Amino acid sequence: MDKKGINRDEIFEKLSKFQEKDLTHSSGRILGSMCTCPHEVGREAYSMFLESNLGDPGLFKGTKELEDESIRILGSILGKEDVCGYIITGGTEANIMAMRAARNCASISNPEIIVPKSAHFSFKKAADILCLELKEAELDENYRVDLQSVEDLISDKTVAIVGVAGTTELGKIDPIPELSKLCVEHEIYLHVDAAFGGFMIPFLKESSYDLPEFDFSLDGVCSLTIDPHKMGMAPIPTGGILFREEKYLDVMSIETPYLTEKKQSTIVGTRAGASAAATWALLKYMGMDGYISLAERCMEVTKLLADGIKKIGMELITEPELNLVAFRSDEMSVDEMASKLEKKGWAVSISSYPRAIRIIVMPHIKKEHIIEFIADLRQIII
Ligand code: PLP
């Protein structure tokens, strides 16, 4: 470290130089990320609560109220208002918490979890941290989890089954009603990872979209991940974990001798109150109508993209269920296409199963970006 500090102006000049190297969502060029430009209301709320620590909620009673109310509102759009939970760092932390609750509830040796092959890699982290054996269920022809495969993997060591509502790579929705039935029959904990779909499916269902049930309205669902920093447009890091009952928090609680709360069930100790403030502000500011029109707009742009891809003779991996399009071409490998697109300034990502170009139509992607993208794509394959 330098002995003397540098002055403020110089610091910010240097920071700007670093920032210039970053891509920005507002350019419309980031096509392969589940993050987006945080909404200005969320940004302002976040910066108002920078010093607030939800790990010591007795000192920040107002922020705690914001967190509790955010959880209630999220519960109300997800089939159960009286859920319990926290605003946390994101989908990974939420999924680890859910697996921890399931493991501790079952309290058996050599516990196993069953996740779809399409599940986010955070479950691999959860399995590693929590010493769980991870069993991967096969997918059906539509890239949703295959129920028979899940059933075949159930053993007396199974402590949780996971269903995904909006898969990371293809945006598919697993058959959660059927998984719920299976879990009720076998008395197994069911966790739904709706990190991506949680801010889309309820709003599209309110609109004219015919999508399956996936939330606490199904008896078997014990917990659910929903990420405000994805389609909720909150600043990073802002995740959400909801549990059907308090008992799931109790099995994870650890005594906190010197803080204003006596027990803690979260993984993280010092927690950003700013994330709760931003979530509350956005839920209140957007309301049902705001999130419905956001979801509808993303789906319209998704359709434009999917139609454009088909028109230039490329193959969609699957019809988009949510705002995610994956495609490939017979003419060129996926890697070559991605690298040519990158040279034209497009940051796409590549799905692993199956390998394809993967585009998530987040709120920062507008129709004009898609029109430009399709024109570049056409040039690349000619
Ligand atoms: N779950 C799903 C379905 C996701 O798509 C992601 C990230 O894309 C996660 C969990 C992990 O979320 P985070 O990156 O916020 O930890």
Side-chain angles (χ1 to χ4, degrees), residues 335-348:
D335 294 282
E336 192 181 350
M337 208 187 316
S339 114
K340 289 196 167 170
L341 285 167
E342 196 184 333
K343 285 199 186 100
K344 286 192 174 279
W346 298 103
V348 295

Side-chain angles (χ1 to χ4, degrees), residues 92-103:
T92 300
E93 191 185 352
N95 289 339
I96 294 172
M97 280 183 74
M99 294 303 98
R100 180 168 172 234
R103 183 198 67 172

